[in-house]
Amino acid sequence: MSWGFLRDLLSGVNKYSTGIGRIWIAIVFIFRLLVYVVAAENVWKYEHDEFECNTKQPGCENVCFDHFFPVSHIRLWALQLIIVSTPSLLVVFHVAYRESREKRHNQKLYSSPGKMDGGLLCAYLVSLVLKAGFEIVFLVLFYKLYNGFRVPRLVKCDMRPCPNAVDCYISKPTEKMIFLYFLVATSGVCIVLNVSELSYLIFKYSIKCYMKTFSEKQQ
Amino acid sequence: MDWGALHAILGGVNKHSTSIGKIWLTVLFVFRVMILVVAAERVWGDEQQDFICNTLQPGCKNVCYDHFFPISHIRLWALQLIFVSTPALLVVMHVAYTRQEKKRHFRNSEKINIEELKNEKIHIQGALWWTYTSSIFFRIVFEAIFMYAFYYMYDGYQMPRLVKCNAWPCPNTVDCFVSRPTEKTTFTIFMLAVSGICILLNLAELCYLVIKVCVRERRKST
């Protein structure tokens, strides 16, 4: 029970998505989830063990590591993946609600419970706004916590019990930086996809609404 | 045999739950079990290895670690998730028992489509209502007990950076440093917040069920 659960959840949403939505799901699976599991996790695996400070003072390394990495990059990445995927559940819940309503009243209330109109369209639009919003929040969080997306090679630490300012060396800084930039790039692409899907849906349904009122007026 | 087994067992509960119950189940698996497995377990993975004491005395580190962490946060969370999920099994057992009774009744009187019986939706009323409500009540009680246990055992929800230990065989009061205290505090607060949300969902479901029954009784009497 781990990332497979998230994958099954998102596959369920695929049925009710637009074309752009399906591209978004594919990008999340391949360029974010898969990259996280097969590559990124291993880069940060021994980050604490390989964090070395130029001192023999016990406890200094622990304290300096905690000071420079309050929450590890890889944990923030995992949280981002989970939280950004969750708004899609709104769509799943809405479709389940429609199907249960049809069953309860024993009649066809919707041409198809998965057709994008009215309530389902609202739920879908809200989920898109939330997805884009959460992506931006996490990018800002990364930026603020680590003063940008750079990973320095050396940090100077003078927290107690370190005797004075001590040099501490981070393991694999360049590799971590590359993966961080990759994360930022894929987040950016996902934000662009969400915003374009939002504009496309709003545009499509405004045109539909306008054509309907125009043809009603003509009659 | 892992968390997937729990998911398989509780999948059956989903069919007979209210909408709030379905949301609770999703929150449980997405924000608690998943976070535990993919993130929290890694944070606490090296907790004893990187627990460092400022002494060369053999055995001092072990004794101090055991004194300050009688049971690890990760293990407590795993227990909490199991205890909190188990009351739902009462509902599954009750539904299975009801179906068994119906099957036996129909076998005695007339033939019936077994598939139809299996997929028939069972409404939450009568004895099932009592079973369902008690399961929600137990869930709330277990959540509260575990939240209090965390608070009592660790003097609050913050993980200290430094603990002072003078348990034998440490020669005198020794400084011991916990690994990743800030990250652990962050995850502890996150799990606490999600437990709180789960308690609220359970309370809302309880109120919904009570109101539903009151409305039904009023309709019957008028």
Side-chain angles (χ1 to χ4, degrees), chain A residues 52-57 60-61 154 163-169:
Chain A
E52 266 186 83
C53 290
N54 188 3
T55 179
K56 281 199 172 171
Q57 170 64 46
C60 180
E61 262 176 28
L154 157 75
N164 43 47
V166 147
D167 289 338
C168 292
Y169 300 89

Side-chain angles (χ1 to χ4, degrees), chain B residues 58-221:
Chain B
C60 177
K61 184 177 124 158
N62 274 18
V63 162
C64 292
Y65 179 81
D66 184 63
H67 180 252
F68 286 100
F69 301 105
I71 177 167
S72 173
H73 288 73
I74 284 288
R75 255 71 69 188
L76 263 181
W77 278 328
L79 283 174
Q80 182 180 11
L81 288 172
I82 293 170
F83 272 89
V84 153
S85 317
T86 345
L89 293 177
L90 289 173
V91 176
V92 173
M93 288 192 279
H94 189 120
V95 167
Y97 172 74
T98 315
R99 284 223 171 100
Q100 191 90 339
E101 289 293 302
K102 270 196 184 152
K103 220 188 268 180
R104 208 182 318 145
H105 168 79
F106 281 119
R107 205 171 287 154
N108 292 340
S109 58
E110 60 191 66
K111 277 200 170 21
I112 187 158
N113 191 350
I114 299 293
E115 279 307 307
E116 219 179 80
L117 192 68
K118 223 186 260 183
N119 295 332
E120 186 190 334
K121 184 172 158 71
I122 297 187
H123 292 281
I124 302 176
Q125 55 199 22
L128 185 62
W129 185 90
W130 285 102
T131 311
Y132 198 87
T133 327
S134 347
S135 80
I136 299 178
F137 175 74
F138 280 117
R139 267 187 230 164
I140 296 173
V141 164
F142 287 142
E143 291 270 22
I145 288 174
F146 274 95
M147 281 168 86
Y148 178 69
F150 263 105
Y151 187 84
Y152 179 74
M153 255 196 234
Y154 296 106
D155 281 328
Y157 299 108
Q158 186 164 23
M159 181 71 80
R161 211 173 250 184
L162 159 74
V163 290
K164 289 188 187 288
C165 171
N166 59 2
W168 187 87
C170 303
N172 43 48
T173 306
V174 148
D175 288 339
C176 290
F177 300 90
V178 178
S179 82
R180 307 180 206 255
T182 312
E183 201 164 6
K184 286 175 179 172
T185 308
T186 308
F187 274 94
T188 307
I189 293 176
F190 181 88
M191 293 299 248
L192 186 74
V194 182
S195 294
I197 291 172
C198 285
I199 290 180
L200 288 173
L201 283 170
N202 286 328
L203 284 170
E205 198 177 1
L206 208 57
C207 296
Y208 166 74
L209 286 169
V210 167
I211 291 171
K212 194 167 149 189
V213 127
C214 293
V215 163
R216 197 182 293 148
E217 291 301 310
R218 201 172 290 163
R219 224 177 268 163
K220 253 193 223 167
S221 58

Side-chain angles (χ1 to χ4, degrees), chain A residues 41 48 62 66 72 75 159, chain B residues 42 50 161 177 182-183:
Chain A
E41 244 185 344
H48 199 281
N62 272 19
D66 183 62
S72 173
R75 245 73 64 190
M159 311 277 304
Chain B
R42 307 264 193 287
D50 289 334
R161 211 173 250 184
F177 300 90
T182 312
E183 201 164 6

Side-chain angles (χ1 to χ4, degrees), chain B residues 12-59:
Chain B
V13 182
N14 211 14
K15 277 185 283 203
H16 313 292
S17 300
T18 60
S19 314
I20 306 177
K22 288 175 183 158
I23 295 173
W24 173 84
L25 212 64
T26 311
V27 167
L28 184 79
F29 279 106
V30 174
F31 291 106
R32 296 176 81 175
V33 177
M34 260 207 87
I35 299 271
L36 185 77
V37 171
V38 309
E41 268 183 356
R42 307 264 193 287
V43 177
W44 269 266
D46 53 8
E47 55 178 326
Q48 182 154 5
Q49 210 175 310
D50 289 334
F51 181 78
I52 291 176
C53 289
N54 188 3
T55 179
L56 284 176
Q57 172 63 46

